[in-house]
């Protein structure tokens, strides 16, 4: 959708491998909203537009809608529901189901990427702790998923799935640095990850697990991690 | 409101000094919703109801609505808007204003209590870092507040204010352990804090700054912090 006619004046500032930016791309694709994608050079220097649009955190993703910035990935997803009520809703309609979805998206937001980065950054006991924590996170998500095809359940692929799907491209990296198998630890979650990968909105927004793994290998070299 | 007739079947599990539980009390009061308040004994042992209602985080606050749990304070606030649309809304109606409010409530959620606890827990360089960070947080909030009476601006006391107001009872504790003055660092924020304290919904939900300070003094003794 990133190249199509963009009457809604939507611009997304992102970074290709960021799961937070990918959430927004997935949500925009699910809603069929065309937008202009701008890749930020996070290593070479952030753009003036990014620094001006998100002066508090100075981070991607930023969604600009007719020039007005919206920051933080889960805030952006809810904004898209609020601002484009004619498009398929990410959040369900029922108040309790909405709260349930917000709870689990928040859980993924706080837990997965933070714990995952400790897997490829740390050694020794802190690494062992991160490994145990990631296995616990995956099992917790597996229990929440249950027998459902997607986290959205009857609603279908939704808010929690958009929050979760980008992490599936990082599973290989987590497995190699954590020395575990997602398919063994949480087989239903692994099957859900595969289903996410087959979905058009996800496939066009994320990169191959091998490319993510190579990126982290290069990043470790840059950071001097042996 | 906690003692009134409770036809909506609302029960809040909280802990008196928790700013996260207090947010929910403030929101319930702003909406005029009667509820039963249940104080959890976080030091003596969490109740089976709490552990059953929030098995993932095992934390207060939990809102039970006709027995169905909703967890995480900001999720609870949005649930109250969604489930009781006939009551005064905490979030504004405009999509961009809603996103703006969600961004700032999230900022307060992630920054204030975490940084504040480092002020009374740490010594030396980590303490100096926490002090500098808290001053930066207060100035950032001051800049966002601007000339407005409350963060909600034209909407009035709202989502961000309910998220912020409980922290104002902790300012004295932060000032004493951080050795700074909120009134000097962020005078407009200090004036907003005073306005929050005069509001009935806040006054009936939070405790005096001196009581919070004494609680932290006792907690430091329990934790063996000199």
């Amino acid at each position: 959708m990133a190249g199509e006619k963009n009457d809604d004046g939507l611009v997304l500032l992102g970074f290709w491998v960021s799961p937070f930016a990918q959430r927004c791309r997935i949500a925009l694709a699910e809603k069929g909203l065309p937008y202009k994608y701008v890749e930020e050079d996070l290593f070479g220097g952030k753009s003036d537009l990014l620094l001006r649009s998100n002066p508090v955190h100075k981070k991607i993703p930023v969604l600009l809608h007719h020039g007005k910035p919206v920051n933080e990935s889960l805030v952006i997803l809810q904004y898209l529901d609020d601002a484009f009520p004619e498009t398929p809703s990410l959040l369900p309609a029922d108040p309790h189901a909405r709260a349930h979805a917000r709870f689990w998206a928040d859980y993924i937001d706080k837990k997965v990427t933070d714990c995952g980065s400790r897997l490829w950054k740390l050694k020794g006991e802190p690494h062992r702790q991160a490994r145990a924590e990631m296995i616990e996170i995956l099992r917790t998500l597996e229990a929440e998923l249950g027998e459902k095809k997607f986290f959205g359940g009857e609603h279908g692929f939704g808010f929690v799935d958009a929050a979760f799907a980008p992490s599936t491209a990082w599973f290989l990296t987590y497995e190699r640095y954590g020395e575990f198998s997602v398919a063994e630890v949480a087989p239903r979650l692994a099957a859900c990850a595969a289903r996410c990968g087959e979905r058009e909105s996800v496939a066009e927004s994320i990169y191959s697990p091998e490319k993510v793994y190579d990126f982290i290998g290069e990043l470790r070299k840059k950071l001097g991690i042996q």
Side-chain angles (χ1 to χ4, degrees), chain A:
Chain A
M1 293 287 169
E4 289 176 25
K5 193 160 175 286
N6 180 6
D7 290 337
D8 287 311
L10 290 166
V11 178
L12 182 71
L13 312 185
F15 182 66
W16 67 276
V17 80
S18 160
F20 305 103
Q22 289 167 351
R23 286 176 185 170
C24 303
R25 305 193 73 165
I26 292 167
L28 287 156
E30 285 288 330
K31 289 174 173 291
L33 291 167
Y35 64 101
K36 181 182 171 192
Y37 177 74
V38 178
E39 177 77 0
E40 283 285 329
D41 181 2
L42 297 189
F43 298 107
K46 297 173 183 178
S47 73
D48 286 345
L49 181 58
L50 171 57
L51 298 175
R52 210 166 54 234
S53 302
N54 190 356
V56 173
H57 298 308
K58 303 177 179 66
K59 288 196 299 191
I60 58 98
V62 171
L63 180 77
L64 294 147
H65 187 192
H66 296 307
K68 287 176 85 173
V70 181
N71 299 318
E72 295 290 89
S73 65
L74 296 183
V75 175
I76 291 171
L77 264 52
Q78 290 174 89
Y79 176 76
L80 292 173
D81 264 6
D82 286 344
F84 300 97
E86 72 286 5
T87 63
S89 176
L90 294 164
L91 281 167
D94 171 72
H96 195 268
R98 291 167 76 83
H100 193 80
R102 287 190 175 112
F103 175 89
W104 284 104
D106 176 73
Y107 178 86
I108 291 165
D109 199 53
K110 285 176 178 157
K111 298 278 187 180
V112 179
T113 306
D114 174 77
C115 184
S117 71
R118 284 184 275 133
L119 283 177
W120 58 262
K121 276 181 185 164
L122 304 177
K123 298 275 180 206
E125 183 52 29
H127 178 270
R128 272 190 291 278
Q129 280 178 14
R131 183 182 184 275
E133 198 177 317
M134 181 57 88
I135 289 172
E136 176 65 24
I137 291 167
L138 295 170
R139 288 189 176 141
T140 301
L141 288 172
E142 166 108 339
E144 164 57 17
L145 181 67
E147 300 295 331
K148 300 192 294 281
K149 200 176 157 191
F150 291 113
F151 284 98
E154 285 176 21
H155 178 79
F157 185 98
F159 190 64
V160 183
D161 298 293
F164 167 70
S167 298
T168 63
W170 287 75
F171 277 3
L172 181 75
T173 300
Y174 299 158
E175 286 176 321
R176 288 189 181 164
Y177 287 105
E179 296 179 358
F180 63 80
S181 154
V182 177
E184 282 173 24
V185 166
R188 290 197 306 260
L189 193 71
C192 175
R195 277 191 294 275
C196 285
E198 289 163 9
R199 200 166 173 97
E200 195 183 335
S201 67
V202 178
E204 69 186 30
S205 303
I206 69 174
Y207 288 80
S208 78
E210 286 291 350
K211 198 170 168 186
V212 174
Y213 179 72
D214 290 347
F215 168 77
I216 289 300
E218 289 300 315
L219 187 57
R220 278 165 51 95
K221 279 185 206 161
K222 267 188 199 169
L223 297 172
I225 302 171
Q226 296 295 327

